[in-house]
Amino acid sequence: MEVTGRLFVWAVLAASCGAQLNSTVAEGRSRCTASLGGANLGETHKALILQLNADEICTWTIERPENRSIRIIFSHVQLAPDGRCENENIKVFNGNSTRGPLLGKVCSKNDFVPVFESSSNSLTFQFVTDVANIQRSVFIFYYFFSSDTSIPNCGGYLDTLEGSFTSPNYPKPHPELAYCVWHIQVEKGYKIKLKFKEVFLEIDDYCRFDFIALYDGPSTTSGLIQQLCGRGQPAFESSSDSTTVVLSTDYASSYRGFSASYTSVYIEDVNTSKSLFMTFKLS
């Protein structure tokens, strides 16, 4: 399906959600509640662009079929840039209400792509916005998956001083509904140089559909270096001895994926090179 066609469909969904957002007012703040379908509509996956207003509380619940888990990805979050996390945030709960266990919270200060999973029969997420009168837009994608169904070569641990890895099926099209995490850990005292020989994913200005997320550290909350999509041959360098690479794909427009390799650089050698460069520059 073409990107423009999908965006048109999602724009219609966003408009219909916007109509529901203003349906009722309670306790001085606009409230909205809507179902994202899930098992009730027979949809195993769904994507939404939500346009949120100021001073609102909006709650959605996803119901899953039996023996499936729910993964929800907030691949693009545009909230009030100066908003405090206490006043404007997205909370995700395990269960069919906001009284369930809190899985996590998202706000404008987060430096990662928020992803949550629930193995219960439902998942609830709630938006709370402050009074700032600015545009807010959030792209959400969720799907059901079986925890016992694994994709070959989807993620893993790499602990040698150099190595290479690719997206599943590369150079053939990557699988749909994949979420793969590679943890690269080298010896202490080294940094990691990561180079992508090829990135070939769906093109989107915000990398909302299929994307690679690079983190400067050992986990998916270590600090986002960049969110990649489209085509290119980018290269990156970590600030320490670990980095994390994530591949997330949706249900349409599968391309070749990526091929990457990495090497290790001794930090003392890097500092020495910088010192020599500065000495030469000053002289």
Side-chain angles (χ1 to χ4, degrees):
M1 187 184 297
E2 296 295 328
V3 174
T4 53
R6 286 204 303 191
L7 287 177
F8 174 76
V9 174
W10 286 328
V12 172
L13 287 172
S16 65
C17 285
Q20 296 179 46
L21 296 185
N22 298 316
S23 59
T24 59
V25 178
E27 299 179 5
R29 174 173 273 185
S30 179
R31 292 180 177 270
C32 54
T33 302
S35 172
L36 291 184
N40 294 332
L41 295 180
E43 294 174 288
T44 59
H45 50 72
K46 195 175 186 69
L48 287 174
I49 299 176
L50 300 181
Q51 306 293 339
L52 303 171
N53 299 319
D55 200 25
E56 276 189 329
I57 296 179
C58 306
T59 305
W60 288 266
T61 297
I62 305 169
E63 300 289 343
R64 68 163 178 82
E66 292 184 5
N67 301 321
R68 304 294 292 273
S69 297
I70 305 169
R71 179 176 290 131
I72 184 168
I73 302 170
F74 298 83
S75 58
H76 179 66
V77 177
Q78 181 184 346
L79 298 175
D82 299 323
R84 298 178 58 190
C85 291
E86 295 80 5
N87 301 330
E88 178 157 309
N89 58 63
I90 307 167
K91 292 180 180 178
V92 182
F93 301 89
N94 198 15
N96 60 3
S97 74
T98 56
R99 294 187 297 272
L102 180 66
L103 294 177
K105 182 169 69 173
V106 181
C107 67
S108 60
K109 308 302 181 185
N110 291 134
D111 189 18
F112 56 88
V113 179
V115 179
F116 301 96
E117 295 182 5
S118 173
S119 58
S120 71
N121 60 357
S122 57
L123 179 148
T124 298
F125 60 97
Q126 182 182 74
F127 290 78
V128 177
T129 60
D130 63 20
V131 297
N133 188 22
I134 66 169
Q135 182 179 357
R136 299 165 174 85
S137 178
V138 179
F139 185 86
I140 300 168
F141 176 59
Y142 84 85
Y143 55 90
F144 305 139
F145 67 99
S146 298
S147 56
D148 58 350
T149 302
S150 60
I151 299 174
N153 303 316
C154 180
Y157 289 86
L158 305 171
D159 58 4
T160 55
L161 285 177
E162 61 181 31
S164 61
F165 58 104
T166 67
S167 55
N169 300 339
Y170 183 87
K172 297 180 180 179
H174 59 70
E176 299 176 352
L177 306 180
Y179 188 78
C180 310
V181 182
W182 289 268
H183 299 281
I184 304 175
Q185 180 70 58
V186 298
E187 294 181 15
K188 290 184 178 181
Y190 286 84
K191 297 168 68 174
I192 299 168
K193 283 191 173 183
L194 177 65
K195 178 175 176 56
F196 286 87
K197 299 176 182 178
E198 180 182 32
V199 172
F200 193 171
L201 298 173
E202 186 171 1
I203 298 174
D204 176 64
D205 289 342
Y206 299 108
C207 296
R208 293 168 292 186
F209 311 131
D210 303 325
F211 63 86
I212 299 167
L214 303 177
Y215 294 94
D216 192 15
S219 73
T220 57
T221 58
S222 297
L224 183 67
I225 299 175
Q226 191 169 342
Q227 193 169 337
L228 299 172
C229 61
R231 301 196 66 176
Q233 295 179 309
F236 303 91
E237 186 174 291
S238 68
S239 64
S240 67
D241 55 11
S242 63
T243 189
T244 303
V245 180
V246 174
L247 172 68
S248 177
T249 68
D250 65 4
Y251 59 90
S253 302
S254 294
Y255 296 103
R256 287 163 60 96
F258 74 85
S259 174
S261 62
Y262 71 92
T263 57
S264 302
V265 180
Y266 192 48
I267 293 177
E268 185 174 313
D269 291 343
V270 174
N271 293 333
T272 300
S273 298
K274 288 182 179 179
S275 178
L276 292 173
F277 172 75
M278 291 299 295
T279 302
F280 174 78
K281 187 176 182 181
L282 291 172
S283 61

